[in-house]
Amino acid sequence: MPRDTAQQKTALPSDLTFEEAFKELESIIQKLEAADTVSLNDSITLYERGVFLRTYCEKILANAKLRIDKVTNGSPEGIEIESFDPRSV
């Protein structure tokens, strides 16, 4: 479910799906690349949020890789699938 801009600015990464966090991160990158339209203070705030989102996305991807490795490297009869809750990252 899409979130409005005000909600995205205050949402903690654990409240976002990977796709929402990644989309917001892409938006931040585009704004920072167009530096002439963003004040220095806003640029710093955007950068901080971007670093936070990048770390969050990296943790989700690392967890996904561990889960995939567990499935592909485990024995077929002993495979256990664990549920994943991004709020636990």
Side-chain angles (χ1 to χ4, degrees):
M1 162 167 117
R3 300 174 191 275
D4 64 20
T5 306
Q7 193 175 10
Q8 281 184 331
K9 289 180 183 176
T10 60
L12 296 174
S14 60
D15 295 335
L16 299 173
T17 66
F18 173 82
E19 292 79 9
E20 289 171 328
F22 193 78
K23 185 175 181 177
E24 184 181 346
L25 182 56
E26 286 179 326
S27 173
I28 288 171
I29 291 168
Q30 289 173 353
K31 288 176 186 173
L32 290 173
E33 286 177 342
D36 57 331
T37 61
V38 181
S39 71
L40 176 60
N41 192 42
D42 288 344
S43 293
I44 293 169
T45 301
L46 286 169
Y47 182 80
E48 290 171 335
R49 177 70 174 174
V51 169
F52 203 52
L53 290 167
R54 187 203 73 203
T55 302
Y56 174 71
C57 288
E58 286 175 345
K59 286 180 181 180
I60 290 176
L61 291 173
N63 186 287
K65 182 182 180 321
L66 287 173
R67 290 182 64 207
I68 291 168
D69 288 346
K70 197 183 274 190
V71 170
T72 57
N73 296 329
S75 62
E77 59 277 344
I79 294 175
E80 291 184 28
I81 305 294
E82 298 175 14
S83 62
F84 173 67
D85 181 2
R87 291 179 291 274
S88 66
V89 176

